Amino acid sequence: MVIIRRWYGRYGSKLVWAAVALGIGWFLRQTQGAPILELYYWVSRPLQSESPELLQERLTNARITELQQRVIELERKNEQLQKLLGYFEAQKQEVIAAPIIGRSVDDWWKQIVLGRGSEDGIEVGFVVTGIGGLVGRVVDVTPNTSRVLLVSDPTSRVGGRVSRTGTMGVVIGGSSRIAVMRFFEKVPKVSPGDTITTSPVSRLFPDALPIGRIQSVDLEKGPAPEAKVLLTAPLNDLEWAVIHPYKSK
C-alpha cells in the first residue's frame, strides 16, 4: 500500500489531468466542436456591430447584385452570339463555328485552343476567322480540339495587301492588338487609315480576309519600310471563332 500511495502521489494528478483531457477530446469529437462554436458566438457577440436583420439585408442585396451581373453577362454573350450567327450566315462556303476553350499559358495572345477537332473535320492548315477579320491558322489537331496560331503571334507571317493601292507586304504579329507590316516596295503607297487584307498571292490564306488598319507608317525603317497595323479582330475578347476548310496552295 505504501508503494501504491507513493506512486499515486507522484503520478496521480497527471493521470487525472490526462483522463480529463481525453474526456474533453472525446466529448468534442462526439459533438463535432459544437460547444466551442457556441462559446465563440457568445464571446464575439459584443463585437458584432450588425443585427441579424441588417446582416440578412446585406446578404439579400449581395445576392441581387450577383444575379444582376449574371443577367448582364448573359446579355453580353447573347449579343456576341447574335453577331457570330450573322457572320456565320454571311459566309459563302461551308464553315465550322467553334468555341474558344483555352489560351496559351505563357502569352494568351499567341495561341488559342478551339473546341472542335478532327472528328468535326478540322485539319492542320485550316484558316480561322472571327467577327472583325482574320484570327489565325490551325497548327495542331486532336480528335476534339484544335490549336490555333494567332495572327498576333510574333512567329506568325501573313501575306498582306493594302486594299486602296494594292501595295503588298508581310504582316508580322507583335501583340494582342498591334502587328507590323513590312512592305516589299522601297516607297510603298500607303497611308494611315488604309485597310489591310490578306494577299491574293498568299499560299496559306484565302484572298481579301480583313486583317487590320494602318496606324502609322515609317518609310525610313530598314531594311524595308514598315507600318503599324491595328488588328480588326478583337482577339482579347473572342469567345467563338469560325474555321474555314482552306488548304494551302
Side-chain angles (χ1 to χ4, degrees):
M1 293 293 295
V2 175
I3 296 175
I4 294 176
R5 288 178 180 177
R6 289 179 179 177
W7 183 88
Y8 183 79
R10 179 178 298 181
Y11 301 106
S13 60
K14 294 182 180 179
L15 286 175
V16 171
W17 283 112
V20 171
L22 288 173
I24 293 175
W26 178 86
F27 177 73
L28 292 176
R29 181 187 179 103
Q30 294 299 316
T31 58
Q32 297 183 349
I36 294 179
L37 294 177
E38 283 294 314
L39 178 63
Y40 174 78
Y41 170 78
W42 289 107
V43 170
S44 63
R45 188 174 182 182
L47 303 177
Q48 297 176 5
S49 59
E50 294 181 342
S51 66
E53 293 77 11
L54 289 176
L55 180 60
Q56 182 61 41
E57 182 180 354
R58 284 186 59 192
L59 292 175
T60 301
N61 291 337
R63 180 58 175 168
I64 292 174
T65 301
E66 177 188 356
L67 292 175
Q68 289 174 338
Q69 292 298 323
R70 288 188 179 184
V71 170
I72 293 173
E73 178 65 14
L74 289 173
E75 290 178 346
R76 185 190 66 79
K77 289 185 176 182
N78 181 64
E79 181 181 358
Q80 188 175 59
L81 288 174
Q82 290 292 336
K83 291 181 179 179
L84 179 68
L85 178 61
Y87 179 80
F88 186 86
E89 293 177 344
Q91 303 305 308
K92 297 181 181 180
Q93 61 178 359
E94 184 178 352
V95 294
I96 302 170
I100 296 175
I101 62 173
R103 290 184 178 269
S104 171
V105 176
D106 297 329
D107 298 292
W108 58 266
W109 45 271
K110 290 183 178 181
Q111 296 184 5
I112 58 175
V113 178
L114 303 180
R116 298 285 186 271
S118 58
E119 291 188 357
D120 303 288
I122 310 301
E123 299 179 19
V124 172
F126 280 10
V127 174
V128 181
T129 65
I131 299 171
L134 182 64
V135 171
R137 180 170 171 267
V138 175
V139 293
D140 187 46
V141 177
T142 70
N144 296 294
T145 66
S146 302
R147 185 161 53 90
V148 178
L149 179 70
L150 298 177
V151 66
S152 56
D153 191 306
T155 65
S156 172
R157 300 290 187 273
V158 181
R161 177 178 180 272
V162 180
S163 297
R164 181 177 62 88
T165 63
T167 299
M168 296 188 186
V170 59
V171 178
I172 304 170
S175 69
S176 62
R177 297 296 307 277
I178 302 296
V180 173
M181 184 171 182
R182 291 178 182 170
F183 298 100
F184 299 142
E185 302 176 17
K186 289 295 183 180
V187 186
K189 298 177 181 178
V190 60
S191 300
D194 282 345
T195 299
I196 305 300
T197 63
T198 50
S199 169
V201 297
S202 173
R203 298 180 60 86
L204 300 178
F205 298 91
D207 180 28
L209 291 177
I211 298 177
R213 291 184 179 276
I214 298 292
Q215 273 195 327
S216 61
V217 182
D218 185 355
L219 298 178
E220 304 300 323
K221 185 73 174 182
E226 289 185 358
K228 288 186 178 181
V229 179
L230 178 65
L231 300 174
T232 51
L235 302 181
N236 298 18
D237 306 317
L238 284 179
E239 296 180 1
W240 286 79
V242 173
I243 304 174
H244 301 251
Y246 180 83
K247 299 296 292 184
S248 303
K249 296 178 182 179

